[in-house]
Amino acid sequence: NACGLVTEVHVSSAYDIALMSRELMDNFPEIKEYTTTWQDSIIHKTRRGKETFGLTNTNKLIKSYSGAIGVKTGFTDDAGYCLAGAAERDSTRLISVVLGCESSEVRFDEAARLLDHGFAGYETVQLAKAGERIEKVAVQKGDQTEIFAVSEAPLGVNVNKGEKDQVKKLVEIDENLELPIEKGEKVGSMVVLEGDEETARYRLVSDRKVERADFANTYTRMIKKMI
C-alpha cells in the first residue's frame, strides 16, 4: 500500500517500483539532493529542548557504486530485503529493482550486477534539451501568429550499444489547436522510431500563452495583407 507495509490483496512488482522511481526522479529532480546524501544531522526540537542525532543513508550503493544517485531501500518480513537503485554515467541513467533478497548484502550485489549489465549493453541517444524549441507552429486568429513546440524535460532513449543510427525522431503537431493556448499546454508529440517501430512518444508543449486576437489586431492584419 502507500506506506509500503503489507496489506491483504495489495500486490506490486519490481516493474511497478521501477516506474515509480523513474517518475519520481523525472518530476522531482531535487530528490537527488536527498538520495545522494550519505550522512546528515537532524535537530529534534521538543519541550525539553533540542536534541541532535545523526542519519546515515541505508542505500550503500551511494558509497560503493560509481554514479549511484538513489533511490530507496526497503524491508518487511514478507518482502525480504528490497532496493530501487539508480545510477547515472555520462548521459545514461539506469534504474534497477530487486525484491525478496535474503540479506541486505545480496540486494546491493544484485542491484549492482543489473546496473553493470545495463551500462555494458546500452547507451543513450539525446533527443532534446529541456525547453528546446523543436518546431515553429502557426497560430490562426491569435494575438500572436506563432508559437514554438518545446520539450518539457530533457528527452532521450536508451538503445543497444552500436544502434544509435537506427533511432529516428518524428514531430507531430496536434491538429485544430483551440485558443486560448496556455504556456505549457500540449501542442504536439515527438515520436521516437527504432527502424519502423515506435518505441517512445513525448509531449511537446507551447512555449508561450496565446489569447484570441481582438478586433483591432485582426483588422490591422487584414490591412497589412492588402498592402
Side-chain angles (χ1 to χ4, degrees):
N1 62 14
C3 66
L5 298 178
V6 177
T7 301
E8 188 178 358
V9 307
H10 284 210
V11 295
S12 191
S13 67
Y15 182 68
D16 291 340
I17 294 170
L19 291 180
M20 288 188 285
S21 299
R22 184 184 67 182
E23 291 302 306
L24 175 67
M25 304 194 82
D26 281 349
N27 293 290
F28 301 95
E30 64 273 15
I31 197 69
K32 286 171 59 177
E33 178 184 349
Y34 301 98
T35 58
T36 58
T37 298
W38 178 242
Q39 289 183 324
D40 204 350
S41 295
I42 301 295
I43 298 177
H44 184 211
K45 297 181 179 179
T46 68
R47 294 179 179 177
R48 294 176 292 180
K50 297 180 181 179
E51 180 182 1
T52 302
F53 61 94
L55 291 175
T56 299
N57 198 328
T58 56
N59 181 8
K60 294 183 179 179
L61 289 186
I62 299 301
K63 291 286 285 185
S64 64
Y65 194 84
S66 174
I69 56 173
V71 181
K72 180 73 173 66
T73 59
F75 172 81
T76 66
D77 289 336
D78 289 323
Y81 291 89
C82 308
L83 173 66
E88 213 166 39
R89 295 179 184 174
D90 297 323
S91 58
T92 300
R93 186 184 74 194
L94 298 177
I95 295 170
S96 68
V97 178
V98 293
L99 306 176
C101 296
E102 62 187 22
S103 71
S104 181
E105 291 74 16
V106 169
R107 67 177 165 188
F108 297 123
D109 290 343
E110 292 300 315
R113 287 177 60 192
L114 283 172
L115 291 170
D116 285 343
H117 176 75
F119 284 118
Y122 298 89
E123 58 186 332
T124 299
V125 178
Q126 294 295 332
L127 303 172
K129 298 177 181 178
E132 180 177 334
R133 290 180 171 182
I134 306 300
E135 187 159 321
K136 185 187 293 186
V137 181
V139 178
Q140 302 296 326
K141 300 181 181 180
D143 60 358
Q144 300 181 64
T145 59
E146 65 187 30
I147 60 173
F148 282 94
V150 303
S151 56
E152 290 184 289
L155 303 183
V157 292
N158 290 337
V159 298
N160 293 323
K161 283 195 172 178
E163 296 184 0
K164 276 188 173 184
D165 293 341
Q166 296 186 25
V167 177
K168 300 176 183 178
K169 56 184 180 181
L170 175 66
V171 176
E172 296 180 351
I173 300 301
D174 295 345
E175 297 182 359
N176 303 319
L177 294 173
E178 295 184 1
L179 295 171
I181 298 172
E182 298 293 333
K183 181 178 180 179
E185 180 179 335
K186 180 180 178 296
V187 294
S189 302
M190 179 183 287
V191 182
V192 182
L193 303 172
E194 294 183 34
D196 296 327
E197 181 183 357
E198 179 180 326
T199 57
R201 180 178 288 262
Y202 298 103
R203 283 164 43 101
L204 298 178
V205 300
S206 176
D207 69 331
R208 68 195 70 178
K209 181 176 182 177
V210 181
E211 299 281 3
R212 184 174 295 277
D214 57 21
F215 175 79
N217 203 331
T218 303
Y219 181 77
T220 300
R221 288 182 192 168
M222 292 176 56
I223 295 299
K224 287 182 178 180
K225 287 182 179 180
M226 297 173 60
I227 297 176

